[in-house]
Amino acid sequence: MRVAKIVWCLLAFASIMGMLGICCDSLAAEAENDTSRPNFLFILTDDLGWGDPSCYGNRHFRTPNLDRLAREGILFTQYYQAGSVCSPSRAALMTGRYPAELRIHGHLASPEQNAARGMPNYLDPQLPTLPRLLKAAGYTTIHVGKWHLGRPPGAGGGLEVYGFDVARWIDCQEGGRNLWSVQERPVAAKELVDATIAALRNVSGKPFYCQLWLNDPHAPLAPSSEQMAPFRRQVPEGFTSPFMVYAATVTEMDRQIGRLLAALDELGLARNTVVIFSSDNGPEDIDIANASWSAYGTAGPLRGRKRSLYEGGIRVPFIVRWPAKVPGGLVNNTTVVCGVDFLPTLCELAGVSLPTEVKATCRGENMARAFCGDKNVQRSGTLFWEWRFRIFNHPWNRSPILAVREGPYKLLFNPDGSRVELYDIPRDPGEYNNMASEHPDIVQELMKKGIDWQKSLPPGRFDKEAGRADYPWPQGEQ
């Protein structure tokens, strides 16, 4: 009897272990399948400078939730947008194309203003876009917040024409409310995060691509008195300072991003969601009328601000977190990544093959290995920028019209051959030491590439102040 009982126990144990083995195999297969189709959450801020998050060196105020994101993922220090203002940067992110190729040279405005600058009124809906490619591959595609790429007549109320299944608060307006208004600005980030969380709760089983494009900290800023209170310092009651306004806005935005990250945890989505955080361009300048009380943003050690092609205008924060695949706490100081890389990289991570016509026109490179933690990924091609208009900055920040980045070198120059500046960016990120006279061969090579690239662009209007850094020096009798 005792032997029979032992045999029965052994058989039962073997049966249980077999069942556990089947379950483990099933779970392993499910996990493997899970990580082969990641979700994407892309948080894009508006006019946040490279040096604004505390994980990028800011010591004037803290951004604990962005710091958490960096601790749990990869912080890139050499990430560039393809434009120095909003609409060009966003067009590149959606299409993998240089915005100047699409005639999107500045921010899209009224039809009259667009026509005066030789620009369209909206992003061409015939262009292949990242959300359209992901949607065709079975992803649910979601947009919340600022869009600033226009919509063609007859497109309806949403963004279906660009490949989105769901679109909320398009350009921060919905149901008669406008989150750009002074009255609504204290709750703008909260409303957009609430809408994002609601959209994620409705995703049922399918992988998703969700972009939350915030309007903070783009001017005009109007945080509440409670939000500004921690940053009052010695400012008398009844007065505010640009620091108070800006710090209150960014820290509230960071708090709302923390709510969104907590919602991912609550919904069980955090592990296999690639969270990407960035800004559309560098910080606004205080010379701009609607920013005169709030443009405290900083590019840290970088020269230039919004509109400039110096580093501070186009180089912005960039953090990637993917717990299922990427170890946390990494800092990538070596890989040069650009907004045009967004489309091919996310398609690679999603297992989506690029159609032939997209491969032929996409200017970006596949940076999937870098997004997964490989610090040795090096860019193989050249990056180009053009800014055709006036730059509202201190003369020190007013860049030439063209910029070219290849390897460690960045060349800035005007098409007429004036203002030729060459910098070794890894050694001189602040662009203090012009090395053009020391490396004429590099200057000649990069200048030719830049001119050839500009000649391939559609023709358009240039401001007479473009590429100039004049200053009205006092004049006396000669």
Side-chain angles (χ1 to χ4, degrees), residues 161-192:
V161 69
Y162 295 108
F164 288 100
D165 295 307
V166 177
R168 295 284 314 277
W169 287 102
I170 303 172
D171 286 322
C172 302
Q173 299 183 51
E174 187 170 280
R177 296 176 62 190
N178 184 353
L179 298 182
W180 288 104
S181 68
V182 170
Q183 295 76 17
E184 297 276 19
R185 285 314 293 266
V187 299
K190 179 182 183 301
E191 291 287 357
L192 298 178

Side-chain angles (χ1 to χ4, degrees), residues 214-234:
L214 297 157
N215 61 337
D216 286 333
H218 189 295
L221 303 180
S224 68
S225 299
E226 293 76 18
Q227 290 167 350
M228 287 190 288
F231 308 105
R232 178 158 290 280
R233 294 181 174 176
Q234 297 182 12

Side-chain angles (χ1 to χ4, degrees), residues 83-210:
S84 57
V85 296
C86 46
S87 299
S89 296
R90 295 161 196 268
L93 290 165
M94 290 292 92
T95 65
R97 302 280 297 275
Y98 286 120
E101 296 178 10
L102 310 176
R103 298 190 301 119
I104 300 180
H105 307 294
H107 73 282
L108 293 178
S110 69
E112 295 75 20
Q113 289 172 303
N114 293 335
R117 293 176 295 162
M119 291 172 43
N121 292 322
Y122 47 82
L123 180 68
D124 183 354
Q126 301 303 314
L127 291 169
T129 62
L130 173 64
R132 185 178 293 134
L133 292 169
L134 292 178
K135 179 178 179 178
Y139 274 72
T140 297
T141 52
I142 303 165
H143 170 86
V144 178
K146 182 176 178 179
W147 172 244
H148 214 160
L149 289 172
R151 280 176 280 176
L159 296 176
E160 294 89 351
V161 69
Y162 295 108
F164 288 100
D165 295 307
V166 177
R168 295 284 314 277
W169 287 102
I170 303 172
D171 286 322
C172 302
Q173 299 183 51
E174 187 170 280
R177 296 176 62 190
N178 184 353
L179 298 182
W180 288 104
S181 68
V182 170
Q183 295 76 17
E184 297 276 19
R185 285 314 293 266
V187 299
K190 179 182 183 301
E191 291 287 357
L192 298 178
V193 166
D194 283 349
T196 305
I197 293 173
L200 294 181
R201 289 187 189 280
N202 288 330
V203 174
S204 55
K206 293 172 64 177
F208 63 81
Y209 168 81
C210 176

Side-chain angles (χ1 to χ4, degrees), residues 153-362:
L159 296 176
E160 294 89 351
V161 69
Y162 295 108
F164 288 100
D165 295 307
V166 177
R168 295 284 314 277
W169 287 102
I170 303 172
D171 286 322
C172 302
Q173 299 183 51
E174 187 170 280
R177 296 176 62 190
N178 184 353
L179 298 182
W180 288 104
S181 68
V182 170
Q183 295 76 17
E184 297 276 19
R185 285 314 293 266
V187 299
K190 179 182 183 301
E191 291 287 357
L192 298 178
V193 166
D194 283 349
T196 305
I197 293 173
L200 294 181
R201 289 187 189 280
N202 288 330
V203 174
S204 55
K206 293 172 64 177
F208 63 81
Y209 168 81
C210 176
Q211 58 184 42
L212 165 62
W213 287 6
L214 297 157
N215 61 337
D216 286 333
H218 189 295
L221 303 180
S224 68
S225 299
E226 293 76 18
Q227 290 167 350
M228 287 190 288
F231 308 105
R232 178 158 290 280
R233 294 181 174 176
Q234 297 182 12
V235 177
E237 291 293 335
F239 294 85
T240 61
S241 70
F243 168 73
M244 288 173 58
V245 173
Y246 194 80
T249 299
V250 174
T251 54
E252 172 62 14
M253 179 187 74
D254 178 82
R255 189 175 75 84
Q256 296 300 332
I257 290 172
R259 288 182 55 233
L260 180 54
L261 297 178
L264 286 181
D265 292 334
E266 175 197 337
L267 295 170
L269 297 171
R271 182 175 180 273
N272 197 36
T273 297
V274 182
V275 178
I276 301 168
F277 174 86
S278 192
S279 175
D280 63 347
N281 47 249
E284 183 57 280
D285 193 81
I286 207 160
D287 281 349
I288 302 300
N290 70 350
S292 59
W293 67 90
S294 57
Y296 188 85
T298 176
L302 308 178
R303 178 180 180 180
R305 301 177 73 83
K306 183 177 179 178
R307 300 174 190 83
S308 176
L309 300 185
Y310 289 123
E311 293 288 282
I314 54 178
R315 186 165 162 177
V316 291
F318 193 71
I319 302 170
V320 177
R321 186 191 77 172
W322 187 10
K325 289 285 184 75
V326 180
L330 301 180
V331 175
N332 188 324
N333 288 310
T334 55
T335 306
V336 176
V337 185
C338 182
V340 290
D341 303 331
F342 205 71
L343 183 150
T345 300
L346 266 60
C347 283
E348 173 71 17
L349 294 175
V352 176
S353 297
L354 298 184
T356 302
E357 64 273 17
V358 177
K359 289 181 181 178
T361 57
C362 181

